[in-house]
Amino acid sequence: MNPRWTKVLRDLAAHKVRTILVALSIAVGIFAVAVMLGGRAVLLRSLETAFPATHPAGITYYTMPFDEHVVRAVERHADVEAAEGRHRVDLKFRIGSGEWRNITLTAVQDYERVKVDLLDREPGTPWPARGEILVEQGSRDFVSAKPGDVIEVKTSGDKTARLRVIGFVHDLNAMTPLMSIKGTGYISYDSLQDLQEPPYSNQLEVAISPALKTQSEVSRLAAGIRDDDIVPRGIRVLSTVPHTPGKHYLGDIFKGVSLLLVAVGVLTLFLSGFLVVNTVSALVTQQLRQIGVMKAVGARPRQLVAMYFAMVVLYGGVGLLLALPLGSLAQRAFVDFGAGKLNFLVRDYATPGPVLALELGVGLLVPVLAAAVPVLAGMRTSVRRALYDASNLAATEFGHGIVDRVLGRLRGLPRPVALSLRNTFLRKGRLALTLITLTLAAGVFMAVASVRTSIDATVGRIAEHRRFDLWVTMAEPKPKALLERETRAVAGVSGVESWLEKPAARERPDGTESSDFTFIGQPPDSAFFQPEVLEGRWLRPDDTNALVVDTGFENSETDVHVGDTVRFKIGELEKDWRVVGVVRGDFGGGSVRANRPYLDKVTNSKGAVSSVVVRTAAHDAAYTKRVADDISDHLDAKGLKVAESETERNLMDTIAGSLSIVVVFLVIMAGLLAAVGAIGLSGTMSINVMESTREIGVMRAIGASNASLYQVFITEGVVVGVLSWLLGTAIAVPLAKLLTDALQVAMSFPLTFGFSLPGVGAWLVFVVIISVLASLLPAYRAARVSVAEAIAYE
């Protein structure tokens, strides 16, 4: 074998710790690419191929009961590809003696002929017959039922019905429980009579022509179908929802959030490149005398460059061997986790070709590029300098810099501590690279912890503004006085307020209509809802057509500002309203608020209200849940049918859980960055010990104990760790704000920023522990070096 390649293999084998550390640093970069970029690509591919295959609805209408004549009339429209009627009902269910929870049941007349929002059954699963239910895949954990279980459902009357679970079905277009706090299930039309529901459709799904590309075009079509084909047949439309053409409702959110993860993944890759630069630079410096000898005997620079690049490629090859199988397993786990939370169905887990090519490039090409600067700089060193200045004293001379002079003025420090401080700042280039790695890892960790803190602050802020413990929505509006009286009659209720809610679409100046917003009429002096006013003012008792919108509405209707006049269509009523304020919104879409007495008057609601919000005597989760169930039972017994009820605690937990999915992803990446930092510090300490071998021998010769050697190198590691913590804390605040703002934009949901002081403390503990552990092995190796070996070391 050529002597150069023999030297490469010998160096790899002789310095196993260094080889392992460099390979691990490269492997972490490959791993990050596999998990973040590969996992994101697999999920996006699954969504982009699966979503169009479901033949998704472009428009959804929620109406009073209609028959197939309406469906046929809508299908004759030029821009309609298919239309289908379904029966949808929101009920409460439980399993055994468990708690009552909310579920949306959808009945389809003929599952074999579904044309819109296609369903995907598990193999061997039949379509439901009477008394049977298919649970939507995304609701599996929420419903907590398995095939053969029986769920009890409160019917639309005063009875209960039993439905046997026969399996699971995937509906990519179904709202996940994380977003809706409801389960989803599918039943047959025959089961409607058991639920005391009429055997008619009340939901119309319309698949539209691919020629319609914009939301405005879909909105015009939706309004035209409603006004020309549905309302003239005597069918009252309760709500109209035009969907964005070709986009899943979670598509933009997932893409926006996943870009954050990709950014952190690229940062991990960047830092792993730093580690390669650090290690190769130290290797070249250490072998300067060998380079001088090889040049003296005729080695050409390109031969030496090829030799060191070959060594780096071998490092990368070892990193690939470690990272490819582990990255593939982690990528699949990441995809399964994300798909489960977002209700995607993944059938093809294969890593896309470009991502696989990128992984190979990260393993083989990026290390070479990272090593290019130190290798080429080393090869330009003259023979004389390489032979007679092999230790590169000019680069490691101590005492001339500002930091060196400051350290030189310190008095009274124990000798091992003073020596460790001197060693820390001796090789400033290496220290800078190590600090950059650890500082960015620290900053990202604290920023992720701050995102978690911001989510908790947001949930707390929502809870502060919504000063009630539970809310109850009626199946249909009921007289205010009756509903409030009967609610107060339930034990544990300490306060009640009723609201009037109407679906309303904004009529835009260009003639199109928005999707429906929730138009809420409430007392202007409400003690149950006191929002954070961001602009303008809140409602006053003497307001008539005054309107306050939230940030969810503002994000959707970006041309609306305080002082503008906005026209809304509420049922058949078209009326202008004056926007007087903007308040911070809640999770889950936009709403607008007006004085309840005025809204009651203009909509001719005759004192009927849609919901009540309730305060309870105690505020813990179990108590409020029990009161919510008692209210539902009592109102149902009085003939006041409840559509759904939910506690604020459960809503807040759901909001936190929905947002925490992102935090889980970010924590994974923060863990990778922490691993990079730990590997980098271990590598730096190993190199420092190796380069201090002769110095160690001198200390041993004059009587230094093993404990003193341990103190020197552990202190050095801890100093580097604490410095990185200080610098990381400095960059964590702007980085945390950047991450929080990016998440806010991606999810179109306002977050209250909060910086995590516990995260700062946690990283300090972590980095000190890592610094000690990273220094133990090098310190142990230093303590085992004999005086003779150390003095003879070159």
Side-chain angles (χ1 to χ4, degrees):
M1 182 182 293
N2 188 296
R4 281 177 292 150
W5 310 130
T6 301
K7 171 179 166 46
V8 169
L9 296 178
R10 187 191 63 195
D11 284 344
L12 291 175
H15 303 283
K16 296 181 180 64
V17 173
R18 182 177 65 200
T19 300
I20 291 172
L21 289 174
V22 177
L24 283 176
S25 67
I26 295 171
V28 169
I30 301 168
F31 188 86
V33 169
V35 175
M36 290 296 101
L37 274 68
R40 177 179 185 269
V42 171
L43 285 171
L44 284 177
R45 180 181 62 199
S46 299
L47 177 62
E48 290 169 356
T49 57
F51 180 60
T54 65
H55 207 204
I59 309 168
T60 300
Y61 298 95
Y62 300 100
T63 72
M64 298 303 288
F66 62 89
D67 58 22
E68 285 299 303
H69 292 91
V70 174
V71 177
R72 301 286 82 80
V74 171
E75 283 190 320
R76 286 194 289 270
H77 198 286
D79 289 318
V80 171
E81 287 197 337
E84 187 170 272
R86 298 181 177 184
H87 188 102
R88 170 193 168 113
V89 59
D90 292 323
L91 300 172
K92 286 189 167 292
F93 81 99
R94 70 178 179 182
I95 297 178
S97 58
E99 66 179 43
W100 290 100
R101 288 175 290 170
N102 300 314
I103 191 169
T104 297
L105 297 179
T106 299
V108 177
Q109 288 186 346
D110 187 350
Y111 282 97
E112 297 290 351
R113 297 184 179 181
V114 170
K115 297 176 289 185
V116 185
D117 287 349
L118 305 183
L119 306 174
D120 188 359
R121 286 176 296 174
E122 290 188 340
T125 303
W127 293 116
R130 183 173 179 176
E132 297 177 340
I133 181 175
L134 282 175
V135 175
E136 205 284 316
Q137 177 68 36
S139 299
R140 185 192 289 254
D141 293 337
F142 181 85
V143 175
S144 299
K146 60 183 182 298
D149 287 348
V150 174
I151 69 173
E152 184 180 6
V153 180
K154 287 186 177 182
T155 70
S156 298
D158 56 356
K159 300 180 180 179
T160 61
R162 294 166 65 84
L163 297 170
R164 184 172 62 88
V165 178
I166 61 171
F168 299 93
V169 64
H170 183 248
D171 181 359
L172 185 58
N173 301 287
M175 190 76 72
T176 68
L178 278 176
M179 305 289 287
S180 65
I181 331 178
K182 299 178 186 177
T184 301
Y186 295 86
I187 59 175
S188 68
Y189 253 60
D190 293 338
S191 293
L192 289 176
Q193 58 184 303
D194 299 326
L195 303 178
Q196 296 181 281
E197 285 286 306
Y200 295 101
S201 299
N202 61 10
Q203 176 180 333
L204 180 61
E205 301 281 12
V206 180
I208 60 177
S209 167
L212 302 181
K213 302 293 186 183
T214 66
Q215 184 77 38
S216 295
E217 292 174 326
V218 178
S219 297
R220 287 193 183 91
L221 175 62
I225 291 175
R226 180 195 62 208
D227 297 339
D228 298 338
D229 300 312
I230 302 177
V231 174
R233 286 174 168 77
I235 307 301
R236 185 157 65 95
V237 176
L238 303 177
S239 179
T240 303
V241 183
H243 305 289
T244 303
K247 287 188 177 181
H248 187 268
Y249 76 97
L250 286 177
D252 287 343
I253 293 176
F254 174 70
K255 288 178 181 178
V257 169
S258 63
L259 282 177
L260 295 179
L261 307 180
V262 169
V264 180
V266 171
L267 180 59
T268 306
L269 173 60
F270 180 68
L271 294 184
S272 72
F274 268 11
L275 297 187
V276 175
V277 172
N278 216 355
T279 305
V280 175
S281 178
L283 175 64
V284 172
T285 300
Q286 181 191 357
Q287 296 190 354
L288 269 181
R289 179 165 293 181
Q290 297 180 28
I291 293 171
V293 172
M294 287 187 284
K295 281 187 172 183
V297 298
R300 291 185 294 274
R302 67 171 180 272
Q303 292 175 315
L304 298 177
V305 168
M307 183 181 70
Y308 281 97
F309 279 172
M311 182 181 296
V312 173
V313 169
L314 288 175
Y315 283 142
V318 176
L320 281 170
L321 291 176
L322 291 172
L324 286 179
L326 293 177
S328 179
L329 292 174
Q331 175 185 301
R332 179 157 187 147
F334 176 84
V335 168
D336 285 339
F337 176 79
K341 295 298 183 183
L342 301 172
N343 201 25
F344 296 174
L345 189 63
V346 179
R347 299 190 184 280
D348 181 9
Y349 288 88
T351 303
V355 175
L356 187 58
L358 183 59
E359 290 179 37
L360 295 174
V362 169
L364 300 176
L365 182 59
V366 171
V368 171
L369 294 176
V373 173
V375 168
L376 294 176
M379 297 311 111
R380 286 197 296 267
T381 303
S382 66
V383 173
R384 181 185 179 282
R385 180 184 172 107
L387 290 176
Y388 296 102
D389 192 20
S391 58
N392 199 14
L393 294 177
T396 59
E397 189 173 355
F398 184 86
H400 296 286
I402 296 177
V403 175
D404 301 344
R405 292 196 294 271
V406 170
L407 291 175
R409 292 192 179 97
L410 295 177
R411 297 290 185 268
L413 294 176
R415 289 182 181 276
V417 174
L419 183 59
S420 65
L421 289 176
R422 178 255 187 194
N423 287 346
T424 300
F425 294 95
L426 182 61
R427 302 166 184 87
K428 295 180 179 61
R430 184 181 306 158
L431 174 64
L433 289 175
T434 305
L435 282 177
I436 288 173
T437 305
L438 282 170
T439 297
L440 288 176
V444 171
F445 178 90
M446 296 177 200
V448 170
S450 297
V451 171
R452 172 75 260 181
T453 299
S454 298
I455 290 173
D456 291 340
T458 301
V459 172
R461 181 256 305 163
I462 294 174
E464 180 182 346
H465 297 156
R466 297 163 63 98
R467 300 182 178 184
F468 49 89
D469 295 298
L470 62 95
W471 43 266
V472 180
T473 301
M474 309 307 297
E476 57 185 37
K478 296 297 180 183
K480 169 183 175 295
L482 173 63
L483 185 58
E484 289 186 357
R485 184 179 69 247
E486 293 300 336
T487 302
R488 286 194 182 95
V490 177
V493 173
S494 63
V496 176
E497 182 174 285
S498 56
W499 293 354
L500 176 60
E501 299 180 10
K502 300 280 188 180
R506 180 200 174 197
E507 294 187 336
R508 302 186 180 108
D510 62 2
T512 64
E513 291 183 7
S514 69
S515 296
D516 283 344
F517 296 99
T518 303
F519 205 116
I520 302 174
Q522 63 184 84
D525 54 353
S526 171
F528 288 73
F529 183 75
Q530 297 182 359
E532 178 184 355
V533 178
L534 302 178
E535 187 180 352
R537 63 172 177 85
W538 180 238
L539 298 168
R540 296 171 181 162
D542 60 345
D543 280 332
T544 53
N545 68 330
L547 193 70
V548 172
V549 303
D550 69 6
T551 48
F553 176 91
E554 194 177 44
N555 290 337
S556 175
E557 305 297 304
T558 55
D559 61 317
V560 176
H561 306 285
V562 172
D564 290 349
T565 297
V566 183
R567 171 159 290 200
F568 277 96
K569 185 169 186 177
I570 309 173
E572 300 303 316
L573 172 70
E574 297 182 12
K575 181 173 178 55
D576 290 334
W577 299 79
R578 180 170 49 89
V579 179
V580 298
V582 178
V583 299
R584 191 180 294 274
D586 293 342
F587 188 68
S591 63
V592 296
R593 297 175 187 266
N595 275 350
R596 186 186 63 198
Y598 186 74
L599 182 62
D600 178 275
K601 176 183 176 181
V602 298
T603 59
N604 195 29
S605 296
K606 301 178 180 179
V609 293
S610 312
S611 61
V612 289
V613 291
V614 179
R615 285 180 184 159
T616 54
H619 308 292
D620 61 277
Y623 187 86
T624 55
K625 178 60 180 174
R626 184 168 65 252
V627 173
D629 290 342
D630 290 345
I631 291 174
S632 294
D633 292 340
H634 178 75
L635 294 180
D636 286 345
K638 295 294 183 178
L640 305 172
K641 182 61 184 175
V642 173
E644 61 179 310
S645 64
E646 196 57 77
T647 66
E648 280 297 292
R649 178 67 61 86
N650 195 33
L651 175 62
M652 296 304 107
D653 289 345
T654 299
I655 293 173
S658 300
L659 296 173
S660 292
I661 296 173
V662 182
V663 177
V664 172
F665 290 158
L666 289 173
V667 165
I668 294 172
M669 297 315 301
L672 288 176
L673 285 170
V676 171
I679 293 169
L681 184 56
S682 298
T684 297
M685 293 306 301
S686 295
I687 294 168
N688 287 354
V689 168
M690 188 181 303
E691 293 181 352
S692 301
T693 301
R694 181 168 292 181
E695 187 177 275
I696 293 168
V698 173
M699 288 190 290
R700 294 296 299 272
I702 61 176
S705 64
N706 288 344
S708 297
L709 292 176
Y710 272 95
Q711 187 177 0
V712 168
F713 292 106
I714 290 177
T715 302
E716 183 178 344
V718 171
V719 168
V720 175
V722 172
L723 278 175
S724 72
W725 171 74
L726 291 172
L727 295 172
T729 303
I731 69 168
V733 175
L735 189 57
K737 188 68 170 65
L738 182 64
L739 268 181
T740 303
D741 289 346
L743 180 59
Q744 179 174 264
V745 171
M747 302 197 71
S748 299
F749 179 65
L751 296 174
T752 301
F753 178 72
F755 186 71
S756 175
L757 292 178
V760 175
W763 184 263
L764 176 60
V765 173
F766 172 80
V767 80
V768 169
I769 293 174
I770 288 298
S771 299
V772 171
L773 294 177
S775 306
L776 278 176
L777 180 58
Y780 172 75
R781 292 173 61 197
R784 288 174 59 87
V785 175
S786 67
V787 175
E789 291 173 338
I791 299 299
Y793 179 81
E794 293 187 2

